């Protein structure tokens, strides 16, 4: 367990919450655009660019701290668990003497 994971998970949770809020705001903004505002028009593209600009820092948080999720998953998979017995290696088997080479 790394002490930084608690902080990183908090940053990721907050960033995800904020990205969800920004997405909802984008949907409201998009729906309020004139009917002529389609992708490729200035009205649409400017509104989308503003949405993306607001989202970048939260996406950067995910790029910076997202690897903590992989680290936590790896550590959890390697940690011993009281719910799963420790695997016992199979005993080495001796060669079968009855399967000798034929003459």
């Amino acid at each position: 367990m790394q002490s930084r994971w608690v902080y990183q998970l908090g940053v990721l949770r907050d960033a995800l919450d904020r990205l969800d809020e920004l997405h909802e705001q984008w949907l409201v903004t998009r729906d309020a655009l004139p009917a002529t505002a389609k992708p490729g028009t200035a009205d649409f593209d400017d509104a989308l660019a503003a949405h993306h600009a607001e989202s970048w820092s939260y996406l950067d948080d995910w790029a910076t701290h997202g690897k903590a999720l992989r680290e936590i998953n790896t550590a959890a998979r390697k940690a011993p668990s009281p719910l799963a017995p420790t695997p016992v290696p199979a005993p080495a088997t001796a060669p079968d003497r009855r399967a000798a080479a034929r003459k």
Side-chain angles (χ1 to χ4, degrees):
M1 167 119 177
Q2 300 289 324
S3 59
R4 63 183 161 77
W5 288 345
V6 173
Y7 167 76
Q8 289 176 301
L9 289 174
V11 169
L12 294 174
R13 184 195 61 239
D14 294 345
L16 188 58
D17 289 346
R18 188 65 183 129
L19 286 167
D20 284 341
E21 292 169 11
L22 289 171
H23 179 70
E24 291 300 320
Q25 288 175 5
W26 162 245
L27 296 177
V28 170
T29 300
R30 183 194 64 190
D31 293 344
L33 291 172
T36 58
K38 302 289 182 205
T41 64
D43 287 340
F44 185 92
D45 291 348
D46 290 346
L48 185 58
H51 166 68
H52 287 164
E54 290 180 78
S55 301
W56 276 119
S57 67
Y58 305 106
L59 294 170
D60 186 56
D61 288 341
W62 271 87
T64 302
H65 300 291
K67 65 183 176 201
L69 296 177
R70 286 193 316 263
E71 293 170 355
I72 292 167
N73 182 53
T74 299
R77 296 182 92 189
K78 290 181 179 179
S81 170
L83 302 176
T86 305
V88 178
T93 58
D96 189 2
R97 294 182 187 256
R98 290 179 288 165
R102 296 182 188 194
K103 294 184 180 182

